[in-house]
Every structure is written in C-alpha cells, then in structure tokens.
Amino acid sequence: MATFISVPLKKSSEVDLVKPLTKFICATYSAGEDQGEYVRAVEELNKLRKSAVGRPLDKHESSLEILLRYYDQLCVVEPKFPFSENQLCLTFTWKDAFDKGSLFGGSVKLALASLGYERSCVLFNIGALSSQIASEQNLDSDEGLKTAAKYYQLASGAFSYIKDTVLSALNREPTMDISPDTVGTLSQIMLAQAQEVFFLKATSDKMKDAIIARLANQAADFYGDAFKQCQYKENLPKEVLPVLAAKHCIMQANAEYHQSMLAKQQKKFGEEIGRLQHATDLVKTVASRYDEYVNVKDLSDKISRALAAAKKDNDFIYHDRVPDLKDLEAIGKAALVKSTVIKVPISQKFTDLFEKMVPLAVQNSMTVYNSRKAEIVNRLIGQMREATNLSNGVLASLNLPAALEDLSGDSIPQSILEKSRAIIQQGGLQSIDQLIKDLPELLQRNREILDESLRILDEEEATDNELRNKFGQRWQRTASNDLYKPLRTEGGNARNVLDKAVQADIVVKQRYGTHREMIALLCKPEAELNAAIPSANPAKTLQGSEVVSVLRALLANVNEVKMEREKLENDIKSAQFDMTSKFLTALAQDGAINEEAISVTELDNIYGGYTQKVLQSLKSQEEILGKIQNSHQEFATMRQSNADANQREEMLKKLAAAHDSYVELSSNLKEGTKFYNELTEILLKFQNKCSDIVFARKTERDELLKDLQQSIAQQPSAPSFPAVPAYQSTPSSTATPATATSSVPTPAPRTVFVQSKPQPPARPPPPAIQAQAANTSTPPASGAGPIPPATQPVSTPAAAPSPAQGPPYPTYQGYPGCYPMPVAYNPYAYGQYNMPYMYQAPGQAPYPNVQQPQQPGYPYPQQPYYPQQ
C-alpha cells in the first residue's frame, strides 16, 4: 500500500556568474583587499551553482544540503547586487519539470534575467529532492518514518513558499510546474503524505485506535483536498490523480477500521459491523479501479477477517442492530503535520560568501548620502571662494596693497613682484595654453564614448522592434524601448553635462583672452616689467601717515580671514562619518532604510558647526572691506593726483587683476581636466553597462528565436491539395447523354462499396433449374443435364438492386458465394433463379423477371452467359 508521490527535478542551462559579477565588483569597489575577496567569493558562488544545478543529484541528504546552501546564498546575495535587465543582467534558463518534450520541439523552458526566478526554481528543486529522499526511506523503522515526515513537510513548505512569491519574483507568467496552482497542489500532496507517515508511525507504535483513526481520517481529508486541486492539472503525471483517489479511500478505510475497533471496545457491535462494511466497500473500490497503482490486498484481508468475526459474534451472541452509514458518528481529525516555514538560512552549515559586502539598499543610501554631503560641502566651499574672489576684486579695484607699496612712484610694488614670481613658477602662459589645448581632445573622447554607447542601444532596439512586428504576441519579452529608459535617461544626463561643460570652457577661454596680455607681462623679467609700468613722482610722501597704517592693518586682517578659510575648507573636505553602520542598523531593525531622515540628521550634526563658521567668516570680511573702502577714500584724497600717477595706478590694478584671473583660470582648467577624466571613467562604465545588457538581450533574443522556431516547426501545416484535373471537373463534349447524366453521381447506399481496383472475373453461372420446378417446387434431379442454350430463357438483366442490409459477400472465380442462402440476403439474385420461396426484404429489389429502371450513375454491367459443363 505504501505508494508515495515524488516530484522530478527541474533542469537548468549553464550560466557564467564569474564574468558579469567580477566586472561589477571591479567597477564598483576600489582595488584592494576587499575587491580581491569579493572576486574569490564570486568564483566560489559559481562552483556552488554548478554543484547544485549543473549535475545530477543523488537522492541523499548531502545533495539536498548543497541545494540549501546555494538557495541561502542566492537570498543573501540578491540585495547586494543590482540584478535586473537593465543593470546586472544574468539570464537563467530552466526547463519545465513535468514536460517530457517532443521529438522536434524539445521540452518547455523559460529564460529570464531575474535572480528571483533562479531562486524560485532552486527552491522547487529543494522541494522535489526532499520528496524523493522521503520516498526512499525505509518506513519499517522509526528513523525512516521520522526522516520521511521531516522531508515531506519541508517539501510542502518549499512549494507553498513558491506559491506565495513566484508571481512577484518573476513579474510574468511562469512555466506550469512553478505556477501558483501547480505548486499549491504539490504542497497539499506532500502534506497529505507527511500525515500518512504519522499514521504509519502511530500504527507501528500500536497507539490507541481512537488516535490512529483520527490520524487516518485527517490524512484522508488532506488527500481529498489534493485530489480536488489535481483534477484539472493536465501537466502533472497521469498516475498522480488515481494514486490520490486511492489514497483517499485507503485512509478512509483505515479510519473506519480503527474506529470499528474502538466501537468493539465500547460494546457497540452494530457500529463495528457498519464501519467494517464501509471500509470493505472503500477497499473494493480501490481494488476495482486503482489496482494498477496501489495494492490493498493485505488491508482488504484484514478488514474482511474482522468483518466476518464481527458478523459471526453479532449473529450468534449480541444481535445488535447495524446502523446505516449515514447514522454513524463522524470520526474526528488530528493534524500532526504542517508545512515547514522557509526562513533563510535553511541550511545549518551556511556561511555568507559576501559577508563584508553591504546590501544594495545600503549602497544606494550611501550614494544618496554622499550626494547630499557633496552638495553641502560644495555650497560651503563655494560661499567661501566667492567671498575670497569678491575680496580680491575689491582690493584690486582699490589697487591695494600695491598703492601702499608704491609710495615712491618709481619701483615695482612688492606684491606685484610676488604675483609675477607665482605665475612664472606655475608655468606662465604655457601651462594655461596646454590646458586649453587638451580640453577639446578630452571632450571629443567623452562624446565618442557616449555616442557609441547610445548607438548599440539603438541598434538592439531596432532589431527588437523588427522581431516584435514580425512575431507579434509570440515575441514575449520586455520591449527594449521600455527596458532602456533608465539608460537613455542616464545618457541624456551625461550629454547635458557635456553641453554645460562646453559652455563653461567658452567662458574660461573668453576670460583668458581678456587678461592674456597682462598675464604675459607678469611672466617677463623684473626689468621689463618695471619698464612697462608708468612712473610717477608724488608731491609728498605718505610713509608715516596714520591712514597708511590703518590700511595695512586692515589688509593684514583680510589675509588672516583668507588663511582661516583655507583651513576651514580643508576641515570641511576631510570631515568623515561612518554612515554604513547607521544604514545597516536601520535595515536590520526596520527592514528598510529611511535615508532622508537619517542623512539629514547626521549631516546637520556634522556640518552644522562648519556652516556657522562660514557665515561668521563672511560677516567678518564684509566688515573689514567696509573699513578698507572708507580708509582708502581718505588715502586717495591725501595723494597727489596727476595723469602719470593715474596711469601707473591703472596698470598696477590690471596686473593685480591678471594675477587673480590667472590663479582662477588655472584652477578652473585643472578642475575641468579632472572633470573630463572622471567623466571618461563614468562613461566607460556606462558603455560597459550598455554592452552587457545588449549582449544579454542578444543571448535572450537567440534563445527566444530558437524556441519560436521549434514551436513553429511543431505546428501542423495546412494541407495543400493539388489542382483538380480538367477531365474531372469539365465533362467531355463528346460524352453520350447517358454518360453526361452520370457525371455527377448520386451517393451510394451505405452498404455499397465502390471498388477502384480491377474487378475479379465474372462468376460462373448458377446451377441449372428445370422449368417445371417452378410449378412443383421440386429441385431438379442430380443427373439432369444443362439446359441447351436455345431453351435457356434470355432476359435483359435487371438494374442493380438495392443491396441487402448485411455485409457484402465476396465472389471469386470458382466460388459461387454462400449458396444456398436466404434470398433476402443474396446479392446475386437477379431473377435467374426459380426459387420455391421468395421473401422480399424491405428495401430489396423485386425478384425474377421484374424489370427495374437502372440506377442513374451506377450502370450494372451485362454478365455474359457461360453454359455449365
């Protein structure tokens, strides 16, 4: 009786995990110890997949352990890599477990770029292998019973988990074996078998009949539910449905048998007989309908013996009334099994290969956090640099500090000399010219990378659209137009960045053209520079005046503010905080990360103090510049003004502005070069991303085309009938009227068989019958000779009679047919015979000498007469 259902394993195609995952790791994580460790972990993951799904698995717990480890690893690695069609695209192909395939088309399979699909299929194999291991157990031992019950419940839990998650994991229609209906049915079957194992364990332990009856009745209930769910599952093996029906009856019979034993103990002998009779009927039903799948001889014999003994005792001793089946009290139920809850990790020996790698949610949160942080840092630094440029512009417009250093009027101010040396030390005009020359090359390189990336996307999308128009609804995959939207958005953002960079380059070049002459002058030797500056002889000296001292003190304050800003800028850039641990803690506690709330709070704690310092620096500078402007007005009125002095002052202002512009231009160009180089790295990653997804889409496209071609090959082609020959469709003009009228034959009666092959030779003539036999009804003497031809009655053959209702009888040369025979069934009676008894069957042609019109279209040929020898 112990027939248990096991589920076959799904089979998968080989997938290379090393190349795409390693490329992602190298592109995401900087070179170092962690990157090498992650690459080694990827190689281990690839080996684990080959062991789990790349080879046949034994029906042993060690094979199941490999599947469990691989499933656990998939679950923990899924949040750490961006597995999707438009990012890290890995296509997994799995065949339907129950589809045996065909000669030409192969088995049904589905290829998806989804790690959730891979995870669901591996979990299906965990349930399938668990059912196989349970079915292999020795149910005659306690250890075997416990192991079988454990793995049937694990299988039920695996199938139940797939039922609840497969649609959300795939976002499309799965194959039939992992569809919610199918795996739900499999889960119920496994649960019923686990309950049956507990029934066998209770029977083996000789527990009380009341307990065993309740266990058996619960098992029957589980099998009944599984049978109902399985009735319309055409994809399941054909033996599943009859086995479930048989098991339902068997468990009911066992429940009734043990409940009858309980009734016997309670002196309810009539109930005992009624339940045993019901159990007998159930077992007979199994034996008559499902004996091919389940053997119930032992159970049937046991119930029959108990029923015979109970009837005998009741008939001779107790005389208890046997109640009807409907009057019997319902048997209770006791469910001792439940589906195992699938909770990662399932394997007790699991170790995470990517333990140090943070989940993708944390990575994404860190990316947004870094963006928020960069925005704050750039804003604070930008405010300080803008204030510094404003200070430099104000001082340059006032010709400070050069005006204080040029009181003699005929020497180069010390500040101008220092600025000249600084420009020469930084490379002068040559460095600026080289930086400007490099910009177009860097720009062009980035544009080419971006254009090539978008080009391969366009080509693949065009191919996809062409095939979609060709195959229509059968081209079942995500449209490239929808899939590439994030990539095209990213590419559009990159192009906008390049366009803005081009505009910034134009502004830098214009500023350089404005100050190039003065920068070139600052690059000249000191003598030439002194000669280029107009000289002026002031009327009086201001060396010891109070206003000069005040201005110098204020300029010193300005320099102090600038130095504080440089230090503050370095402190802002170097401020660090471990946000990864914060996000990991939030993910562990809440299951999700509220990045905005966490980031805003932490950034305020980190940069709140720096923001106050920046605002204080700006306020101090504003006050100092106001005092400088007031003091400079007093200083300007004290100086003697003439044309030479004005020209000299104007030249010194231009030189100071040229130095400031040189410093700013040099910084901007270096930042621009750095920007283009960094953008090149970003665009190369973008290009790799586009290449990877296009390659994956090409692989998916080839696989889908192969499947479509196979499905088309399996479809029956429409029959192509040849053209009707002219002689069949158009009657000949030379045909006789009789022939013409028969060109459209009338349907023959159902027992007439038109023979297309040549007819056998004409049958021999019938035996001679004397003319007087017609009156005497006496057959002719055996010695009578044949009638001479002259005396033989000659008559025109009658038309072919309607055939008899029986089958036609063959006639061959030398074989006159089954003669004599009742005339009503003789197809050769055409009036030649003078029979003593003529019975005309309904629908049969009249007998001798009755002329009938010939049936149109079926002329019966004249039979030649051969005299009988």
Side-chain angles (χ1 to χ4, degrees):
M1 184 202 65
T3 301
F4 289 93
I5 297 170
S6 60
V7 181
L9 295 172
K10 290 175 70 68
K11 295 180 180 179
S12 174
S13 302
E14 184 177 354
V15 178
D16 181 20
L17 302 178
V18 175
K19 184 178 178 181
L21 294 184
T22 301
K23 183 182 291 186
F24 172 80
I25 289 172
C26 295
T28 306
Y29 300 95
S30 58
E33 182 179 352
D34 289 344
Q35 186 186 98
E37 185 176 347
Y38 296 156
V39 171
R40 289 190 294 271
V42 167
E43 294 172 353
E44 289 297 323
L45 177 63
N46 196 54
K47 292 178 183 178
L48 184 59
R49 186 184 194 275
K50 289 182 178 179
S51 300
V53 301
R55 63 180 180 87
L57 296 177
D58 298 329
K59 299 176 183 179
H60 193 267
E61 295 179 21
S62 59
S63 298
L64 180 62
E65 179 64 28
I66 296 175
L67 274 175
L68 294 176
R69 285 176 51 214
Y70 180 54
Y71 177 79
D72 289 338
Q73 192 61 65
L74 288 177
C75 292
V76 299
V77 83
E78 187 173 13
K80 299 181 179 181
F81 289 92
F83 293 103
S84 64
E85 284 186 295
N86 55 4
Q87 295 188 58
L88 187 54
C89 186
L90 283 172
T91 302
F92 301 97
T93 303
W94 287 83
K95 295 181 180 179
D96 192 308
F98 299 110
D99 186 76
K100 303 302 181 183
S102 61
L103 179 62
F104 300 103
S107 58
V108 175
K109 58 185 176 181
L110 176 64
L112 285 181
S114 166
L115 196 71
Y117 175 53
E118 171 88 347
R119 181 163 40 80
S120 298
C121 293
V122 172
L123 187 58
F124 181 92
N125 275 5
I126 289 173
L129 188 58
S130 298
S131 71
Q132 295 177 15
I133 294 174
S135 299
E136 292 292 318
Q137 298 303 311
N138 180 14
L139 300 183
D140 294 331
S141 65
D142 284 350
E143 190 63 30
L145 289 169
K146 291 178 182 178
T147 303
K150 170 186 173 183
Y151 286 116
Y152 278 135
Q153 291 178 87
L154 175 59
S156 177
F159 293 133
S160 178
Y161 187 83
I162 297 173
K163 174 188 175 184
D164 297 335
T165 60
V166 65
L167 294 181
S168 61
L170 270 62
N171 292 324
R172 62 165 294 174
E173 192 68 24
T175 50
M176 288 297 295
D177 55 346
I178 59 173
S179 65
D181 290 344
T182 301
V183 290
T185 301
L186 294 177
S187 175
Q188 187 64 33
I189 293 174
M190 296 300 115
L191 200 64
Q193 295 185 153
Q195 180 74 15
E196 182 182 354
V197 171
F198 272 97
F199 158 76
L200 296 175
K201 179 71 167 61
T203 305
S204 175
D205 294 345
K206 298 182 179 179
M207 299 180 72
K208 294 181 179 180
D209 289 305
I211 297 176
I212 298 176
R214 295 173 67 189
L215 292 175
N217 197 36
Q218 182 64 68
D221 192 40
F222 283 155
Y223 276 120
D225 292 341
F227 177 80
K228 292 176 183 177
Q229 296 180 24
C230 191
Q231 278 184 308
Y232 305 103
K233 302 293 185 303
E234 298 180 357
N235 60 314
L236 294 179
K238 64 177 183 179
E239 65 270 10
V240 172
L241 193 64
V243 168
L244 293 178
K247 287 294 190 75
H248 174 67
C249 294
I250 291 171
M251 287 295 102
Q252 276 189 321
N254 277 293
E256 294 289 356
Y257 172 78
H258 287 280
Q259 193 69 19
S260 72
M261 296 297 102
L262 179 63
K264 182 179 181 180
Q265 296 168 13
Q266 297 173 350
K267 309 298 183 182
K268 300 178 180 179
F269 303 106
E271 179 183 344
E272 176 191 7
I273 295 174
R275 292 192 181 278
L276 288 174
Q277 288 176 344
H278 186 209
T280 302
D281 294 339
L282 290 170
V283 173
K284 286 181 179 178
T285 300
V286 175
S288 62
R289 297 183 182 180
Y290 311 115
D291 60 331
E292 179 183 353
Y293 305 98
V294 179
N295 182 12
V296 291
K297 185 177 185 306
D298 293 342
L299 178 62
S300 177
D301 292 344
K302 181 172 69 172
I303 295 174
S304 297
R305 288 192 300 269
L307 179 60
K311 282 185 175 181
K312 181 179 179 181
D313 292 345
N314 193 55
D315 291 342
F316 287 95
I317 302 173
Y318 307 114
H319 303 288
D320 195 6
R321 187 183 68 84
V322 179
D324 292 337
L325 177 62
K326 62 182 179 179
D327 297 330
L328 294 175
E329 184 179 354
I331 303 174
K333 300 175 184 177
L336 296 185
V337 296
K338 61 180 180 179
S339 301
T340 301
V341 178
I342 302 300
K343 187 176 181 181
V344 178
I346 311 175
S347 171
Q348 297 178 355
K349 302 178 181 179
F350 171 69
T351 54
D352 187 4
L353 298 174
F354 300 89
E355 185 176 4
K356 292 185 179 180
M357 183 182 291
V358 297
L360 194 62
V362 176
Q363 296 181 34
N364 294 335
S365 299
M366 284 297 300
T367 301
V368 179
Y369 164 78
N370 289 330
S371 177
R372 296 180 188 274
K373 174 184 173 181
E375 183 180 352
I376 293 175
V377 170
N378 292 335
R379 176 172 56 81
L380 295 177
I381 293 177
Q383 289 177 348
M384 291 189 293
R385 289 185 178 180
E386 185 178 355
T388 300
N389 291 335
L390 176 63
S391 174
N392 292 336
V394 171
L395 295 180
S397 66
L398 301 178
N399 194 24
L400 294 174
L404 300 179
E405 299 166 354
D406 189 38
L407 296 179
S408 63
D410 56 0
S411 62
I412 302 176
Q414 185 63 30
S415 61
I416 298 298
L417 287 175
E418 291 176 356
K419 291 176 180 179
S420 175
R421 295 190 192 103
I423 290 177
I424 294 173
Q425 187 177 1
Q426 294 181 28
L429 288 176
Q430 290 78 10
S431 64
I432 298 290
D433 290 338
Q434 185 62 40
L435 289 172
I436 292 178
K437 181 181 178 182
D438 292 340
L439 288 180
E441 296 179 4
L442 298 174
L443 174 65
Q444 183 62 24
R445 180 180 63 186
N446 288 325
R447 277 182 170 170
E448 290 175 356
I449 296 173
L450 180 59
D451 292 341
E452 176 64 17
S453 303
L454 297 177
R455 183 190 65 79
I456 60 177
L457 293 181
D458 293 338
E459 289 183 355
E460 200 285 326
E461 183 176 338
T463 304
D464 181 71
N465 292 335
E466 180 181 351
L467 293 172
R468 190 174 303 279
N469 294 332
K470 179 178 180 181
F471 292 104
Q473 295 295 330
R474 291 181 292 179
W475 193 249
Q476 296 180 350
R477 71 167 187 169
T478 306
S480 296
N481 183 33
D482 298 332
L483 188 62
Y484 294 158
K485 283 181 179 179
L487 291 175
R488 294 196 180 279
T489 301
E490 188 175 348
N493 293 337
R495 193 171 295 282
N496 292 336
V497 168
L498 284 175
D499 293 340
K500 291 180 180 179
V502 170
Q503 296 300 322
D505 293 344
I506 294 175
V507 174
V508 168
K509 291 178 182 179
Q510 290 175 350
R511 290 190 60 189
Y512 178 60
T514 302
H515 297 278
R516 191 178 192 283
E517 183 179 355
M518 291 295 104
I519 295 173
L521 185 59
L522 287 172
C523 295
K524 291 183 178 182
E526 183 178 346
E528 295 184 19
L529 179 59
N530 191 16
I533 299 174
S535 60
N537 295 319
K540 58 182 180 178
T541 179
L542 299 175
Q543 289 288 354
S545 65
E546 182 181 356
V547 67
V548 172
S549 300
V550 172
L551 282 174
R552 285 176 176 170
L554 292 174
L555 290 176
N557 292 338
V558 170
N559 291 333
E560 184 179 352
V561 169
K562 290 180 181 179
M563 292 176 63
E564 289 177 355
R565 283 179 184 163
E566 291 178 1
K567 183 177 180 301
L568 185 58
E569 180 176 337
N570 293 331
D571 291 343
I572 291 174
K573 288 180 178 179
S574 60
Q576 296 293 337
F577 186 76
D578 185 15
M579 289 297 296
T580 302
S581 58
K582 281 276 186 182
F583 290 137
L584 284 172
T585 302
L587 184 62
Q589 292 178 351
D590 305 331
I593 300 175
N594 189 350
E595 181 276 328
E596 183 177 2
I598 298 174
S599 297
V600 169
T601 302
E602 294 300 328
L603 289 173
D604 186 61
N605 294 335
I606 298 171
Y607 294 103
Y610 292 123
T611 303
Q612 296 299 323
K613 291 181 180 180
V614 170
L615 295 177
Q616 184 62 35
S617 175
L618 298 179
K619 185 177 180 182
S620 299
Q621 174 181 300
E622 185 178 358
E623 293 176 354
I624 294 173
L625 289 179
K627 293 178 180 179
I628 288 176
Q629 288 176 333
N630 294 332
S631 298
H632 183 268
Q633 289 179 358
E634 184 180 353
F635 173 76
T637 56
M638 293 175 63
R639 293 183 61 186
Q640 181 180 0
S641 298
N642 54 48
D644 293 337
N646 291 336
Q647 290 179 2
R648 180 180 179 85
E649 184 175 357
E650 190 66 28
M651 175 61 74
L652 294 177
K653 289 180 181 179
K654 289 181 180 180
L655 291 174
H659 168 266
D660 295 338
S661 296
Y662 179 88
V663 173
E664 187 177 356
L665 288 171
S666 179
S667 176
N668 290 340
L669 290 171
K670 289 178 180 178
E671 288 181 356
T673 302
K674 180 182 178 182
F675 162 78
Y676 280 126
N677 290 329
E678 292 177 350
L679 183 61
T680 300
E681 296 181 4
I682 295 174
L683 290 177
L684 285 175
K685 292 180 181 179
F686 175 72
Q687 186 181 30
N688 290 335
K689 192 187 302 184
C690 295
S691 300
D692 290 344
I693 191 173
V694 167
F695 178 78
R697 294 282 287 179
K698 182 180 181 298
T699 304
E700 182 186 13
R701 181 186 69 205
D702 295 342
E703 193 74 22
L704 186 55
L705 277 174
K706 181 180 177 182
D707 293 343
L708 285 175
Q709 290 170 356
Q710 291 176 347
S711 64
I712 292 173
Q714 294 178 28
Q715 295 177 357
S717 58
S720 177
F721 296 101
V724 179
Y727 71 87
Q728 293 184 5
S729 59
T730 306
S732 174
S733 58
T734 59
T736 60
T739 307
T741 57
S742 62
S743 61
V744 182
T746 57
R750 65 180 179 87
T751 54
V752 172
F753 298 89
V754 179
Q755 297 180 352
S756 59
K757 58 184 179 180
Q759 298 292 331
R763 63 182 177 83
I769 300 176
Q770 298 295 335
Q772 64 271 18
N775 299 325
T776 62
S777 299
T778 303
S782 59
I787 301 176
T791 62
Q792 182 71 17
V794 179
S795 62
T796 304
S802 298
Q805 298 302 312
Y809 294 92
T811 57
Y812 300 99
Q813 187 172 4
Y815 178 76
C818 297
Y819 182 87
M821 59 190 298
V823 179
Y825 294 92
N826 184 3
Y828 302 108
Y830 298 111
Q832 296 96 326
Y833 315 122
N834 189 6
M835 302 298 292
Y837 172 70
M838 293 294 182
Y839 168 74
Q840 182 174 346
Q844 183 171 341
Y847 279 96
N849 299 323
V850 178
Q851 298 294 330
Q852 296 290 336
Q854 194 176 41
Q855 184 176 355
Y858 288 87
Y860 195 86
Q862 175 85 25
Q863 295 283 352
Y865 172 73
Y866 297 94
Q868 189 172 8
Q869 301 296 328

